[in-house]
């Protein structure tokens, strides 16, 4: 940007102008799933002393941009500005909240990969006409709403599709039912094929794998033909691998196939409703193979993510749903996106059938029989809180109550103590003794610390809210 052009403009304006030109160019070079979820959510802040400062909503996005796209971004900014600019990425959730854009929910991109969605519900969508039929469902990265609970799983999956065999092998994705595991596996298939139409790839439900193997043995079919179906692939995706537990002969076969694939540098992706060590009757050697790669969990979506999912679905269906009605639907289901989709579909189907407009009263009427996941009235136990907190942060019970000072353990421990204080009637002394015999003043200190953090950080507030919900539901 030449000096003349910047006269009368603020440093922010200059940065904005420059960045909007860069975006046009970057759109054509950065693959759609990354562009829509990462690059579009970058905000130019200022240009000063040949540094272009840009904001990203969180550290996770910053790390990925820095590891994969910083060269492309810098290069583009230099070309457009004609200056030797350096880029400075700053994590600034606030830069994304003031205009109603979420810091936590990255908007999915539209199918053509270019047009981004905004969180305001535009007038054009408010047409009363409903298309006749629902649009067919597609399982793609573009159709997957990225939020706090699934971000890591999303990007790990994306990287497998892009560079099979390179990082995170095997990739093990686990999480509750209806949280998008199958969606991500199918999105890997879809995107890997788009990137390389010749790629050999196999998606299989583990129960099908088991059935076919048993048939191969009992009907004395060609075993090597069975093997070939798997080992010739560059990526193999085993969905619901927890089904493998307790199937001795099939586990042997699976182990062989796994090793062959692995040594051929093919990528193995597994989904499961629980982490490897919780799959009953899974051989130790398979468990350790699973743990040898990247294990990522998908946590239930927060309200914002649920609304974003509904918003995306309403756009795909071409229906208009007012914000309050949307919020109402989203608040009915907390832990299963399939159920959420089910409610949404009931609303849309009913609007189609009766030719009614969708508004809050209509939604309440349609969903009146649905029993929302209600909070438990009983006060939870310390053990339950410890279990939920351990699961949430991915730490063991021993680590939670132990002495390690590692940052995430200290954080999990403090939050757990705070929640015990908040949600039970236990004394500080009793809480302390349940946390490795800690002194009551340590518990009190932790509670105060967390209280402060809640006031200062939306993320922590959100974590604590989410945990409270989980604990209340488990009680
Ligand atoms: P799982 O395999 O974990 O049980 P699925 O992948 O079958 O769950 O997801 C259930 C439904 O919810 C699917 O229709 C899926 O497309 C949808 N879904 C799950 N997560 C998301 C998400 N983040 N964005 C959009 N849709 C989602
Ligand atoms: Mg599934």
């Amino acid at each position: 940007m030449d000096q003349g052009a910047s006269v009368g403009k603020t440093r922010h304006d200059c940065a904005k102008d420059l960045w909007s030109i860069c975006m046009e160019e970057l759109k054509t070079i950065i693959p759609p799933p990354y562009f829509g979820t990462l690059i579009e959510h970058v905000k130019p802040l200022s240009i000063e002393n040949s540094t272009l400062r840009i904001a990203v909503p969180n550290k996770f996005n910053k790390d990925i941009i820095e590891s994969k796209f910083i060269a492309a971004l810098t290069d583009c900014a230099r070309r457009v500005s004609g200056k030797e600019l350096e880029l400075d990425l700053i994590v600034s959730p606030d830069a994304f909240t003031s205009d109603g854009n979420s810091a936590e929910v990255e908007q999915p991109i539209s199918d053509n990969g270019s047009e981004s969605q905004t969180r305001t519900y535009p007038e054009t969508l408010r047409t009363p006409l409903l298309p006749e039929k629902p649009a067919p469902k597609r399982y793609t990265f573009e159709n997957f709403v990225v939020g706090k609970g699934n971000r890591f799983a999303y990007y790990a999956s994306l990287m497998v599709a892009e560079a099979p065999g390179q990082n995170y092998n095997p990739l093990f994705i686990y999480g509750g039912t209806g949280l998008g595991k199958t969606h991500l596996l199918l999105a890997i298939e879809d995107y890997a094929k788009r990137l390389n139409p010749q790629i050999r790839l196999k998606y299989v439900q583990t129960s099908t794998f088991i059935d076919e193997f048993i048939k191969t043995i009992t009907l004395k079919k060609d075993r090597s033909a069975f093997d070939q179906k798997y080992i010739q692939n560059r990526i193999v995706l085993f969905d619901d691998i927890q089904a493998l537990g307790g199937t001795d002969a099939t586990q042997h076969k699976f182990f062989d196939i796994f090793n062959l694939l692995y040594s051929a540098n093919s990528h193995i992706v597994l989904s499961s409703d629980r982490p490897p060590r919780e799959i009953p009757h899974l051989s130790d050697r398979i468990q350790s193979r699973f743990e040898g790669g990247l294990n990522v969990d998908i946590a239930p979506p927060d309200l914002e993510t649920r609304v974003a999912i509904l918003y995306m679905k309403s756009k795909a269906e071409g229906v208009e749903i007012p914000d309050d009605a949307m919020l109402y639907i989203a608040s009915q289901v907390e832990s299963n996106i399939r159920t959420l989709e089910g409610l949404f579909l009931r609303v849309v189907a009913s609007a189609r059938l009766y030719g009614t407009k969708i508004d809050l009263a209509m939604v309440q009427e349609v969903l009146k029989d649905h029993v929302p996941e209600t909070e438990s009235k009983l006060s939870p136990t310390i053990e339950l809180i410890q279990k939920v907190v351990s699961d949430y942060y991915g730490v063991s019970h021993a680590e939670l109550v132990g002495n390690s000072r590692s940052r995430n353990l200290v954080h999990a421990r403090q939050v757990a103590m705070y929640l015990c204080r908040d949600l039970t009637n236990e004394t500080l002394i009793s809480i302390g003794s349940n946390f490795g015999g800690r002194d009551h003043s340590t518990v009190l200190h932790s509670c105060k610390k967390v209280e402060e953090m809640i006031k200062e950080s939306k993320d922590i507030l959100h974590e604590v809210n989410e945990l409270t919900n989980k604990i209340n539901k488990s009680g």
Side-chain angles (χ1 to χ4, degrees), residues 303 306 326-335 339-340 343 363-364 367-368 370-374:
L303 182 65
R306 301 200 300 275
M326 195 88 92
L327 259 176
Y328 183 84
I329 305 173
S331 63
Q332 298 299 300
V333 183
E334 285 175 359
S335 57
T339 314
L340 183 68
L343 297 190
V363 168
Q364 283 172 334
L367 302 184
K368 69 176 186 302
H370 175 77
V371 183
E373 295 164 280
T374 46

Side-chain angles (χ1 to χ4, degrees), residues 31 33-34 68 139-142 152-169 171 173 183-201 234-237 266-269:
Y34 287 110
K68 291 182 74 91
Y139 296 96
T140 61
F141 284 119
E142 288 89 336
F152 201 12
Y154 176 87
Y155 284 111
S157 302
L158 199 51
M159 284 175 200
V160 170
E162 274 200 333
Q166 283 190 19
N167 290 311
Y168 313 142
N169 200 9
L171 171 61
I173 301 174
H183 189 135
L184 281 180
L185 262 52
L186 294 173
I188 293 176
E189 175 174 32
D190 168 79
Y191 191 46
K193 280 186 178 160
R194 272 195 272 159
L195 291 173
N196 173 9
Q198 270 83 48
I199 194 167
R200 281 177 177 273
L201 193 150
R234 186 88 182 91
I235 306 178
V236 184
L237 309 131
S266 296
H267 218 117
I268 305 137
V269 183

Side-chain angles (χ1 to χ4, degrees), residues 425-450:
N425 295 321
E426 301 283 349
T427 61
L428 291 174
I429 295 170
S430 143
I431 296 173
S433 71
N434 279 281
F435 280 82
R438 284 183 159 74
D439 190 81
H440 75 277
S441 62
T442 310
V443 180
L444 191 60
H445 170 78
S446 299
C447 296
K448 291 209 167 125
K449 185 84 204 290
V450 175

Side-chain angles (χ1 to χ4, degrees), residues 35-328:
F35 186 81
T37 45
L38 282 177
I39 309 300
E40 262 186 355
H41 297 275
V42 157
K43 290 210 168 154
L45 296 173
S46 65
I47 304 182
E48 250 174 281
N49 304 332
S50 44
T51 300
L52 169 60
R53 205 153 275 136
I54 54 184
V56 289
N58 53 58
K59 180 160 182 321
F60 194 86
N61 286 24
K62 178 175 154 114
D63 290 347
I64 298 192
I65 294 175
E66 280 180 342
S67 66
K68 291 182 74 91
F69 301 117
I70 196 73
L73 264 57
T74 309
D75 189 49
C76 183
R78 287 181 180 176
R79 249 180 300 115
V80 174
S81 68
K83 285 189 185 170
E84 281 303 288
L85 289 178
E86 294 298 336
L87 259 57
D88 184 13
L89 267 61
I90 296 169
V91 176
S92 168
D94 291 346
F96 297 83
T97 42
S98 54
D99 61 1
N101 244 334
S102 160
E104 285 307 340
V105 181
E106 289 124 41
Q107 288 305 299
I109 52 177
S110 65
D111 272 359
N112 64 17
S114 59
E115 168 204 341
S116 77
Q117 297 177 349
T118 60
R119 292 294 297 286
T120 48
Y121 308 115
E123 278 306 312
T124 47
L125 280 176
R126 299 185 182 277
T127 51
L129 286 175
L130 290 180
E132 293 268 294
K133 274 195 293 181
K137 173 101 195 181
R138 290 183 57 217
Y139 296 96
T140 61
F141 284 119
E142 288 89 336
N143 289 342
F144 192 87
V145 175
V146 184
K148 190 173 177 176
N150 60 26
R151 184 182 293 133
F152 201 12
Y154 176 87
Y155 284 111
S157 302
L158 199 51
M159 284 175 200
V160 170
E162 274 200 333
Q166 283 190 19
N167 290 311
Y168 313 142
N169 200 9
L171 171 61
F172 190 101
I173 301 174
Y174 66 93
T177 309
L179 293 184
K181 301 181 296 294
T182 298
H183 189 135
L184 281 180
L185 262 52
L186 294 173
I188 293 176
E189 175 174 32
D190 168 79
Y191 191 46
K193 280 186 178 160
R194 272 195 272 159
L195 291 173
N196 173 9
Q198 270 83 48
I199 194 167
R200 281 177 177 273
L201 193 150
K202 178 137 184 93
Y203 165 90
V204 68
Q205 265 291 336
T206 303
S207 55
T208 309
F209 174 84
I210 296 169
D211 289 350
E212 284 185 0
F213 180 63
I214 292 172
K215 271 193 205 134
T216 307
I217 301 180
T218 48
L219 305 177
K220 297 200 167 40
K221 291 212 252 177
D222 181 358
R223 285 202 196 189
S224 72
F226 177 85
D227 293 3
Q228 275 307 318
K229 254 168 85 173
Y230 295 92
I231 59 181
Q232 66 184 354
N233 296 290
R234 186 88 182 91
I235 306 178
V236 184
L237 309 131
F238 289 95
D239 206 352
D240 292 315
I241 195 72
Q242 74 273 2
L244 203 60
T247 59
D248 288 351
T250 317
Q251 283 197 35
H252 276 110
K253 172 53 56 191
F254 176 84
F255 189 69
D256 291 345
I257 288 176
F258 184 101
N259 288 337
L260 283 166
L261 285 168
Y262 191 81
S263 53
N265 202 28
S266 296
H267 218 117
I268 305 137
V269 183
L270 310 135
S271 90
S272 165
D273 65 358
R274 63 199 84 181
R277 61 181 56 226
E278 287 175 23
I279 299 176
H281 313 295
L282 186 69
S283 78
D284 289 350
R285 57 185 193 163
I286 294 181
Q287 182 191 315
S288 86
R289 285 287 190 280
F290 289 172
E291 288 176 344
L294 180 71
N295 291 196
V296 287
D297 77 322
I298 305 192
D302 53 22
L303 182 65
E304 204 168 12
T305 308
R306 301 200 300 275
V307 170
I309 289 171
L310 289 177
Y311 180 58
M312 183 187 69
K313 292 194 70 68
S314 63
K315 241 192 133 175
E317 296 279 339
V319 300
E320 157 235 329
I321 304 184
D323 296 2
D324 55 354
M326 195 88 92
L327 259 176
Y328 183 84

Side-chain angles (χ1 to χ4, degrees), residues 174 297 387-396 399 408-409 412:
Y174 66 93
D297 77 322
K387 161 107 184 49
V388 174
V389 173
S390 303
D391 289 352
Y392 184 83
Y393 290 109
V395 305
S396 69
E399 287 171 327
N408 59 335
L409 284 178

